[in-house]
Amino acid sequence: SKGIMSITESKAVISDTGYIDLMKFIGGYSENFLPKTNQEFASATFGAAWLSLQWNLVSRNASVEAIHLEHMRYSGDCLQIRFAKSKGDQTGEGLGNTKHVYANPIQPEICCILSMALYFLSTPRRVPTQQQSPNDTKFFQGSNQKARWAEVLHRILGCLPDAVDLGCAKQDGMS
C-alpha cells in the first residue's frame, strides 16, 4: 500500500437534520431514549453537551476534550472559547484561535449554551484548591472523555429508530 486513502475514509459527515434529530433524541425528546436513571441522565446531559460543542465549534474530539473553564468567556451575546492548540497548530503559537457559540432560543433542543448549562449544573465539580490539577479546570472532567463520548454515542446509535436519518454512516466516535 502506498498510503493512499479515500478522502471519505474514516470520516462520518452528519447532516443538519441528522444533528437536530440526534440532539432531540439525546435530550430526551424521544420516547426511545428517555433517561430513567441518574446514570442515564448523566450520559444524556454529557452527550448533548459534547455533541453540541463539537458541532457548533466544528471541532475534533481531542479539541472538545481539551476545553478548560478558563478558555471560556462571554462577550456581548456569545460565548467565546479559545483553543490553546489544534491539529493545525500543535505548538499553540496561534493562540488567537477563538470560536464563538451563540444561544438558540428558537430551538432549545439544539441550543449549545443550554446543553452546556444542563451538563455543568448537573455534574458535581471538584472544589478548586491551590494544588489544583489541570484536569480540575476541564469543562468535561475526567481522564478519558473521548472514550466516554464514544461509549455514549455507540449506545445512542444502537437505540436510534430507523426514521432518524443522520445523513452519514453510523460510526463510533464520529471522528
Side-chain angles (χ1 to χ4, degrees):
S1 96
K2 297 179 182 182
I4 299 171
M5 66 179 181
S6 161
I7 60 171
T8 59
E9 188 173 324
S10 79
K11 302 288 181 201
V13 177
I14 186 170
S15 68
D16 293 350
T17 56
Y19 167 72
I20 292 167
D21 287 346
L22 193 53
M23 285 297 291
K24 286 179 180 178
F25 192 77
I26 293 172
Y29 296 90
S30 166
E31 291 179 17
N32 296 342
F33 198 73
L34 284 174
K36 295 172 186 67
T37 66
N38 288 345
Q39 180 67 29
E40 288 176 356
F41 179 78
S43 291
T45 56
F46 167 80
W50 185 283
L51 178 61
S52 65
L53 273 169
Q54 192 171 33
W55 178 269
N56 283 274
L57 299 174
V58 191
S59 296
R60 302 168 61 83
N61 282 329
S63 297
V64 172
E65 184 177 44
I67 295 172
H68 286 254
L69 296 175
E70 64 267 19
H71 297 163
M72 298 182 211
R73 72 181 191 113
Y74 257 97
S75 179
D77 63 347
C78 73
L79 175 66
Q80 294 181 347
I81 300 177
R82 189 188 74 225
F83 288 97
K85 297 193 290 187
S86 67
K87 184 177 178 184
D89 180 16
Q90 293 294 314
T91 63
E93 291 175 14
L95 289 176
N97 190 7
T98 301
K99 296 189 178 185
H100 301 81
V101 178
Y102 296 88
N104 186 345
I106 307 298
Q107 292 180 287
E109 64 273 14
I110 65 166
C111 179
C112 186
I113 303 297
L114 179 58
S115 295
M116 291 173 66
L118 287 172
Y119 171 75
F120 188 80
L121 293 172
S122 65
T123 303
R125 312 288 305 170
R126 292 187 199 106
V127 177
T129 65
Q130 294 203 326
Q131 273 52 35
Q132 192 164 312
S133 152
N135 282 336
D136 289 344
T137 66
K138 279 187 164 184
F139 183 73
F140 296 104
Q141 291 184 331
S143 59
N144 193 351
Q145 297 300 298
K146 291 186 295 187
R148 181 180 179 194
W149 165 241
E151 182 182 308
V152 168
L153 182 62
H154 181 72
R155 202 177 97 232
I156 291 166
L157 293 178
C159 295
L160 279 178
D162 290 336
V164 174
D165 179 15
L166 298 178
C168 69
K170 294 178 181 178
Q171 297 178 9
D172 288 351
M174 294 207 322
S175 176

